[in-house]
Amino acid sequence: MSSELLAPLDLAFWHLESAGHPMHLGALAFFAPAPGTRSGDSVLELLATRAAAIRRLRMRVRDVLLPVGGARWTVAKDFDVRRHVHHVRLPAGDFATEAAGIAGELMERPLERGLPPWEMYLLTGEPGGPFAVLVKLHHALADGMRAVAIGAGIFDQIADARTVGVRRTRTVPPRSWFAGPSQVAGFARGRIEELGRAVGVGASVVRASRLDPRGMAALTAGSSGTRRLGTAVLDLEDVQRVRRAVGGTANDVLLAIVAGGLRRWLEERGERLPAADPRALVPVSQRRPGSPPGSGNKFSAYLLELPVSDPDPRSRLDAVRTAMDRNKAAGPSRGAGALAVLADQLPPLAHRFGAPLAGGAARMLFDVLVTSVPLPRSALSLGGCPLREVYPMAPLARGQSLAIAMSTYDGRVHVGLVADAKALPDLDRLARSLGEELVELLDLIGEASLGMPAR
């Protein structure tokens, strides 16, 4: 298919964007050099060739007359991959630090809307040394799972499989241009049912909104349009050890680590604990397990009060697990986290005119985004150079200064923290506090296993 309409949620992300709040996802991937490592120019050529072979990356957004307010993905006939793939040579110094610094600056820049909305940057340092690839995809182009499926096309393992794969075609039965009476009636019933669902979800969103948000001031400082990237690495086996000792899921443990890390960071800053615990928006995929990624965004979200005010790490973990269990029992169509579900049921015109208002209201719904991005479990490489680390990056909502994204690869959890650079100049300290919180949880379960009282 040469074109397709933007799904309602994709259209919402397209119109939510502003110059100071670009709505793109990102990932910073670090690669180790391999024997006979290619030069930077040859890696750039490989990257460009593979990106150009990914059909989705040749699509751009164009407005349409019908539906009113809608837009369509169309293949860019003048597509030139070299307008999207760039080479940045970093100054001498610690490569990882320099790469994270430039990645934050590059994430500030909105994507050019007249082109397919994505960019890739090859970051190199000393010849023959490690290198990194920064990927930027507009949120209208993909949600987290879809972004992984698109971005994975640059890796040796996926690109090689595509060259030998056989594309299957599906026969589609002919379809009449005119709907019969039963089809018209069915369409009408469907629209009425959708309207009823939208009203119910909308009421749930309104009930969960806060008229007087009093979360952490540091997370809701005035937006400057600047970006800073912080990174942290957690050992997955350590996370699983905590999970096995206290129950719940690995994601519960990670959310508790975020809550404890925020508390540590505030205390070190000398700030007073917030009058109300900050709210986290925790996205959950609406894609069915085992189904193909498909196009468009398909997710909802849960709301979680991060127990920052609780001084006991075990109690924080219990509170997170209880709240997440309650969220799962209620389902993803309840509470302010269901805003994505509501957006997916609104007409295009509502997104065109309502998105700016919704973007400004994000502060009423949550204080910080905390998301997990699934990655392939197998080892990956680019041009024979093994992937060592990959840090996902989430966009910042208007009026918010921190978003946290996590991905698991090669036995470790890589955490990418995107912040407003002026609001959180000490982001590296917050990143370190996450590892310190995991150490405290490990100490806690070590004491418990010896029959010692928990702190």
Side-chain angles (χ1 to χ4, degrees), residues 42-221:
S42 61
V43 173
L44 185 70
E45 182 67 27
L46 178 65
L47 193 62
T49 299
R50 290 183 175 172
I54 301 171
R55 182 180 178 280
R56 190 71 179 173
L57 296 184
R58 300 196 297 272
M59 308 290 280
R60 54 171 288 193
V61 176
R62 300 191 66 175
D63 290 340
V64 296
L65 293 176
L66 293 174
V68 177
R72 182 176 294 275
W73 290 109
T74 62
V75 175
K77 295 181 180 179
D78 58 348
F79 175 74
D80 181 358
V81 71
R82 299 197 178 278
R83 300 179 71 177
H84 301 266
V85 179
H86 313 281
H87 188 184
V88 178
R89 293 174 175 85
L90 302 180
D94 181 77
F95 178 74
T97 300
E98 294 291 342
I102 192 64
E105 295 177 14
L106 292 171
M107 290 296 286
E108 295 176 9
R109 306 176 186 177
L111 295 160
E112 188 172 340
R113 292 173 76 87
L115 299 175
W118 66 275
E119 290 176 343
M120 292 185 189
Y121 291 86
L122 172 65
L123 311 178
T124 59
E126 295 294 328
F131 64 90
V133 174
L134 172 66
V135 180
K136 291 169 57 176
L137 299 173
H138 199 285
H139 212 333
L141 187 67
D143 56 19
M145 290 185 68
R146 178 62 175 167
V148 170
I150 293 173
I154 70 171
F155 294 112
D156 299 336
Q157 292 74 14
I158 286 82
D160 292 344
R162 283 179 174 171
T163 61
V164 299
V166 178
R167 186 173 181 178
R168 298 181 179 179
T169 59
R170 185 177 60 177
T171 302
V172 179
R175 182 177 178 182
S176 171
W177 287 99
F178 301 98
S182 61
Q183 291 175 296
V184 172
F187 176 77
R189 284 194 301 269
R191 294 302 298 168
I192 293 172
E193 291 172 358
E194 289 175 6
L195 179 61
R197 286 194 296 269
V199 170
V201 174
S204 180
V205 170
V206 171
R207 285 194 299 269
S209 300
R210 303 170 298 180
L211 297 179
D212 181 25
R214 296 172 299 158
M216 292 171 57
L219 301 184
T220 55

Side-chain angles (χ1 to χ4, degrees), residues 17-24 107-111 138 225 227 395-396:
E17 184 170 70
S18 66
H21 295 86
M23 292 300 297
H24 48 248
M107 290 296 286
E108 295 176 9
R109 306 176 186 177
L111 295 160
H138 199 285
R227 295 291 181 270
L396 288 182

